[in-house]
Amino acid sequence: MFTSSPKVLVTGGTGYIGSHTVVALMEAGFDVYVVDNLSNSNIEVLNGIEQITGKRPVFENIDCTDYVAMDKFLTKHEGIKAVIHFAASKAVGESVELPLKYYRNNVVSLVTLLELMPIHKVENLVFSSSCTVYGQPDVLPVDEKAPIKKALSPYGNTKQICEEVIVDTVHANPAIKSILLRYFNPIGAHSSAAIGELPNGVPNNLVPFVAQTAAGLHKKIKVFGNDYNTPDGTCIRDYINVMDLAYAHVTAVERLLNKDIQEPEVYNLGTGKGLSVMELIKTFEVVNGVKVPYEIVGRREGDIEQVWANPSLAQKVLKWKAKATIEETLESAWKWQQRCMERK
Ligand code: UD1
């Protein structure tokens, strides 16, 4: 146990998963520092965090690829014990159009951080990775031993490269410890609806689009393909509540601070259950008492047919398990959508 609250730096801490993790860390008693360049988030997120926790994390508007600015930040806030690195670009389609944006934002930011960590005696890193590294797995549910498949997009490639950069760096510098967290599909919002996923233009992801369609912002949602080899023909994913995901980061930081782990550890973060696109839309309608008009269209390029997690390693070692039901999670997504509409 600690006599004072350990300082944790969250890069990308005003983003979707980052902001929920900041809340979870603050509630667990950590002293939280946030850097974010607000390229895909809003400064008002800090108000939401304060509303929930009664405190405001230290925040600076910094681009994590900026070595000088990051160096200055770590000098000013000496004594940071762990970093959770979320700051990255994440739109699969955009990454195909603008690959260098993705290699710079995702890979250069990580390299910058890893160069600075030993200089500032920061020894612990939690990295935000993705189940995209598995591609279409040969065996379901997918566990951490499944082979890494060739990435289908520059975005996916950056996650694979970043994982390798961390493995090589820890190998060369055993003073650094790391946990890589592979997320399945994070959805929903904090139950207070004080924070959530801020839609940036037209959403690419399923749940924000479903919620906006229910709110009348789109006439219909396009269901990308119903001719997959799945029970109802639509793709299957493992949708995990974003607060459950946030709590997993707290357990990962605690493990790094308390255990002398040698090699980077990898954990799948999912519920262990797969849900099809149609099942998700129908559940959203039932729990929220709304209509979500849809139409079946052709497949979306690059989509994987089905993937869901075997999360038992995280359960065994991190003592973490996703707890929220899909109903609670989809209610939170709708509550957040309504809150966004009220603000307009
Ligand atoms: C994708 C990436 C994932 C990344 C995430 C971040 C892949 C395989 N997965 O997840 O690594 O972390 O984006 O944004 O690259 N759908 C519709 N209509 C829509 C939107 C989506 O039918 O309007 C369907 C998709 O075809 C898919 C499911 O809903 O079957 C989920 O899609 P989405 O929310 O975009 O997530 P992924 O593609 O699984």
Side-chain angles (χ1 to χ4, degrees):
M1 281 297 105
F2 304 99
T3 45
S4 65
S5 311
K7 293 183 180 178
V8 177
L9 170 62
V10 181
T11 74
T14 56
Y16 174 43
I17 308 172
S19 58
H20 290 81
T21 301
V22 168
V23 166
L25 287 165
M26 289 171 82
E27 284 178 344
F30 288 96
D31 190 7
V32 181
Y33 293 73
V34 172
V35 297
D36 201 306
N37 67 358
L38 302 176
S39 60
N40 193 22
S41 61
N42 194 306
I43 189 78
E44 283 171 24
V45 167
L46 297 174
N47 299 337
I49 292 172
E50 190 173 1
Q51 203 181 310
I52 299 167
T53 64
K55 280 181 289 185
R56 216 174 166 83
V58 171
F59 170 80
E60 284 193 33
N61 183 334
I62 294 178
D63 185 321
C64 294
T65 64
D66 184 341
Y67 184 97
V68 174
M70 287 298 288
D71 190 24
K72 214 167 132 193
F73 181 90
L74 290 166
T75 305
K76 186 167 154 195
H77 303 290
E78 197 189 320
I80 286 178
K81 296 281 174 230
V83 185
I84 307 181
H85 185 46
F86 290 107
S89 300
K90 63 163 188 176
V92 175
E94 185 192 50
S95 79
V96 177
E97 307 292 322
L98 302 171
L100 293 177
K101 173 176 171 180
Y102 280 70
Y103 289 108
R104 171 165 290 282
N105 284 348
N106 300 9
V107 183
V108 176
S109 66
L110 173 69
V111 171
T112 305
L113 204 53
L114 286 168
E115 284 173 343
L116 286 166
M117 283 174 64
I119 298 171
H120 295 278
K121 305 202 165 30
V122 184
E123 294 178 346
N124 302 296
L125 173 71
V126 176
F127 180 67
S128 168
S129 191
S130 167
C131 70
T132 194
V133 301
Y134 299 119
Q136 175 62 64
D138 303 322
V139 179
L140 286 167
V142 59
D143 68 21
E144 294 80 357
K145 292 194 192 82
I148 303 297
K149 297 265 180 82
K150 186 174 163 41
L152 292 173
S153 69
Y155 160 78
N157 204 22
T158 65
K159 291 295 171 191
Q160 295 187 359
I161 292 170
C162 285
E163 288 198 0
E164 288 178 353
V165 167
I166 293 170
V167 170
D168 290 346
T169 306
V170 171
H171 183 73
N173 183 354
I176 296 180
K177 296 185 284 172
S178 183
I179 290 183
L180 316 178
L181 298 177
R182 292 180 181 155
Y183 314 150
F184 283 68
N185 286 55
I187 60 164
H190 189 269
S191 57
S192 66
I195 55 172
E197 185 171 11
L198 273 178
N200 184 19
V202 178
N204 295 310
N205 296 112
L206 180 64
V207 170
F209 206 101
V210 165
Q212 288 192 357
T213 306
L217 299 182
H218 311 284
K219 254 169 67 194
K220 284 177 187 169
I221 172 149
K222 293 185 169 70
V223 173
F224 297 134
N226 68 348
D227 56 352
Y228 285 98
N229 185 23
T230 61
D232 67 16
T234 64
C235 292
I236 294 176
R237 296 287 183 275
D238 184 336
Y239 295 95
I240 173 166
N241 182 289
V242 68
M243 277 312 296
D244 275 335
L245 193 64
Y247 295 130
H249 292 75
V250 177
T251 63
V253 168
E254 284 170 344
R255 179 167 171 80
L256 286 170
L257 295 180
N258 293 315
K259 289 260 185 303
D260 191 18
I261 67 169
Q262 308 284 315
E263 298 296 317
E265 293 182 351
V266 181
Y267 298 99
N268 280 349
L269 299 180
T271 64
K273 287 189 211 90
L275 202 71
S276 76
V277 174
M278 280 319 299
E279 284 171 327
L280 186 138
I281 293 175
K282 290 293 160 206
T283 310
F284 190 97
E285 290 189 320
V286 171
V287 298
N288 295 314
V290 292
K291 279 266 155 244
V292 181
Y294 68 88
E295 61 178 324
I296 309 288
V297 300
R299 293 181 177 196
R300 181 171 72 175
E301 203 189 320
D303 261 341
I304 278 155
E305 182 174 271
Q306 43 189 326
V307 61
W308 66 95
N310 176 344
S312 52
L313 189 66
Q315 193 175 338
K316 193 172 136 209
V317 184
L318 298 178
K319 314 277 181 255
W320 169 91
K321 197 173 184 289
K323 292 201 177 103
T325 63
I326 186 71
E327 287 81 8
E328 286 163 346
T329 304
L330 292 177
E331 271 175 39
S332 74
W334 179 230
K335 195 170 162 191
W336 168 247
Q337 177 60 41
Q338 288 171 301
R339 184 65 59 88
C340 292
M341 309 281 285
E342 285 162 18
R343 282 188 188 145
K344 278 192 178 162

